Amino acid sequence: MDEKEKIPVSLLTLTAGIVVTLVSFWVGQNHGLMPEQASQQAPLVDKFFSVMMTIGTALFLVVEGAIVIAVIRFRHRKGDDTDAAPIIGNLPLEAFWTAIPAIIVIGLGIYSVEVYRDMGGFDPATGHTMAHHHPTVQVAYLPESNLSGGLIAQTENTTTEPKKIYGFGATPDTETTPADLVVNVTGIQFAWLFNYPESGIMAGELHVPLGADVQLNIAAQDVIHSFWVPQFRLKQDAIPGQNTELRFVATKTGTYPIVCAELCGGYHGAMRTQLIVDTPEAYQAWVAENQIAQAENRDRAIALNPHNLSVSEFLAPYTETLGINQHALAQIKAEAIAQF
């Protein structure tokens, strides 16, 4: 081909750049790698992930494309045993491939901090305080007293120090308002326990109402666990002796898996339970049912001690099971008295 008929390199580079950009944007928006979104925090994480997918796809196409072009264009040709022309000392090229990755890394770092802030990542460590009591011994002397040791009094100094809580707290829009629902979460080998302080419910699965601002106070009793809900894009460690927090708003009803994301022992894989997002009406019904059910369980626990119950009270649950009514019991009692 004549030299004048060749396509300019700049035009080829521009075309390749447009194609790479379009393909990268399409892959970044249609990768389908994330599960469904079920919380207000999930779209923030997904947008960040899509940006990284777009940049990663562009870098992959550029690097792999350059390798393929070099392999084809600079392949060994028959009868050519000479060395290729060395390329050294290209300062503009070195500055270019150093500056572009640096700009990408700095940009992603700033964006990730912004996402972390919008999710409430900076709130727990600064929004809580805890009082510490330090005993102090004071000795008082009376001028005309016979007490050689004086009067000893002990007082306490109360100081307020920042309470270190890690995790995701309130978002910038809700940092001045308390959560609608607080649940204490405890991780043990190999289960999650959920305690609702307001209602007194203890459960093995987490129920929350749709659209409510929920705060989880997470703790561990034995080893490190990690509370992870993939559909919520939230994960927080449960550390023995260290309080952590997780605050979120569910946006879709359904049942979602809660997974321990930290290798916590031999049965770590079995440490799973469910987060169930109910409508507000269904959640109130669940609370009412569990309060009644757990109250009944407490009565049954008391019945295990027969010394605190009369004979009739002790036998009442069993008579219902056997189909014996009060009339039959009275008749049996009257017959027994007549025989004796």
Side-chain angles (χ1 to χ4, degrees), residues 265-281:
Y267 297 96
H268 156 73
M271 191 170 173
R272 301 170 66 94
T273 184
Q274 299 179 124
L275 190 160
I276 301 171
V277 181
D278 298 314
T279 61
E281 296 77 15

Side-chain angles (χ1 to χ4, degrees), residues 276-333:
I276 301 171
V277 181
D278 298 314
T279 61
E281 296 77 15
Y283 174 75
Q284 292 301 328
W286 176 82
V287 170
E289 292 174 359
N290 277 269
Q291 285 180 315
I292 295 173
Q294 296 190 15
E296 290 178 350
N297 291 335
R298 284 193 291 270
D299 291 341
R300 290 175 184 174
I302 293 172
L304 293 176
N305 184 1
H307 298 290
N308 297 332
L309 298 174
S310 65
V311 176
S312 299
E313 291 174 336
F314 180 77
L315 293 176
Y318 304 100
T319 58
E320 293 179 1
T321 303
L322 296 174
I324 303 174
N325 54 33
Q326 294 297 325
H327 176 72
L329 281 177
Q331 186 176 0
I332 294 172
K333 185 177 179 180

Side-chain angles (χ1 to χ4, degrees), residues 123-130 161-165 169 215 217 245:
D123 179 74
T126 57
H128 301 75
T129 57
M130 181 172 63
E161 298 177 0
K163 182 182 180 181
K164 296 180 180 178
I165 297 179
Q215 176 180 325
N217 299 322
E245 183 179 309

Side-chain angles (χ1 to χ4, degrees):
M1 181 179 296
D2 188 75
E3 189 70 23
K4 295 182 180 179
E5 297 178 354
K6 287 185 177 179
I7 301 174
V9 175
S10 57
L11 184 58
L12 292 175
T13 305
L14 176 62
T15 304
I18 294 174
V19 172
V20 168
T21 301
L22 293 176
V23 172
S24 300
F25 272 112
W26 186 87
V27 172
Q29 299 298 320
N30 299 277
H31 52 77
L33 297 176
M34 304 296 278
E36 63 176 319
Q37 300 174 350
S39 73
Q40 286 186 354
Q41 288 74 14
L44 300 173
V45 177
D46 286 3
K47 289 180 181 177
F48 182 56
F49 186 78
S50 295
V51 171
M52 290 195 297
M53 279 295 297
T54 302
I55 296 174
T57 302
L59 291 176
F60 175 82
L61 293 176
V62 170
V63 172
E64 297 301 320
I67 292 175
V68 171
I69 292 173
V71 168
I72 296 174
R73 182 173 181 181
F74 302 108
R75 68 185 183 278
H76 177 264
R77 290 178 171 80
K78 187 176 181 180
D80 184 5
D81 296 328
T82 60
D83 293 333
I87 300 175
I88 59 174
N90 193 329
L91 183 59
L93 180 60
E94 294 177 357
F96 178 77
W97 73 41
T98 302
I100 295 301
I103 293 173
I104 292 175
V105 171
I106 293 173
L108 289 177
I110 295 173
Y111 187 16
S112 66
V113 171
E114 186 69 15
V115 171
Y116 190 67
R117 185 188 68 85
D118 292 342
M119 295 177 67
F122 291 129
D123 179 74
T126 57
H128 301 75
T129 57
M130 181 172 63
H132 294 273
H133 302 277
H134 304 286
T136 302
V137 176
Q138 296 181 345
V139 180
Y141 292 94
L142 297 177
E144 297 178 356
S145 174
N146 294 326
L147 296 175
S148 58
L151 300 177
I152 300 177
Q154 179 171 306
T155 63
E156 286 189 348
N157 290 333
T158 301
T159 59
T160 301
E161 298 177 0
K163 182 182 180 181
K164 296 180 180 178
I165 297 179
Y166 301 97
F168 293 95
T171 63
D173 296 333
T174 61
E175 59 186 358
T176 58
T177 58
D180 300 325
L181 174 65
V182 177
V183 183
N184 296 326
V185 183
T186 303
I188 59 174
Q189 290 177 318
F190 297 94
W192 295 103
L193 301 177
F194 304 98
N195 173 249
Y196 294 73
E198 293 186 357
S199 58
I201 293 175
M202 284 289 297
E205 59 186 16
L206 178 60
H207 280 255
V208 300
L210 179 69
D213 188 2
V214 180
Q215 176 180 325
L216 304 182
N217 299 322
I218 303 175
Q221 287 191 352
D222 36 42
V223 299
I224 297 177
H225 304 278
S226 188
F227 185 92
W228 180 33
V229 185
Q231 285 77 8
F232 283 48
R233 312 292 192 268
L234 293 173
K235 184 168 74 68
Q236 183 57 54
D237 288 344
I239 307 170
Q242 176 63 63
N243 297 316
T244 56
E245 183 179 309
L246 201 57
R247 193 162 165 173
F248 60 88
V249 177
T251 57
K252 186 181 294 184
T253 58
T255 301
Y256 307 101
I258 298 174
V259 182
C260 179
E262 188 78 32
L263 181 61
C264 58
Y267 297 96
H268 156 73
M271 191 170 173
R272 301 170 66 94
T273 184
Q274 299 179 124
L275 190 160
I276 301 171
V277 181
D278 298 314
T279 61
E281 296 77 15
Y283 174 75
Q284 292 301 328
W286 176 82
V287 170
E289 292 174 359
N290 277 269
Q291 285 180 315
I292 295 173
Q294 296 190 15
E296 290 178 350
N297 291 335
R298 284 193 291 270
D299 291 341
R300 290 175 184 174
I302 293 172
L304 293 176
N305 184 1
H307 298 290
N308 297 332
L309 298 174
S310 65
V311 176
S312 299
E313 291 174 336
F314 180 77
L315 293 176
Y318 304 100
T319 58
E320 293 179 1
T321 303
L322 296 174
I324 303 174
N325 54 33
Q326 294 297 325
H327 176 72
L329 281 177
Q331 186 176 0
I332 294 172
K333 185 177 179 180
E335 292 177 354
I337 293 174
Q339 291 178 359
F340 291 97

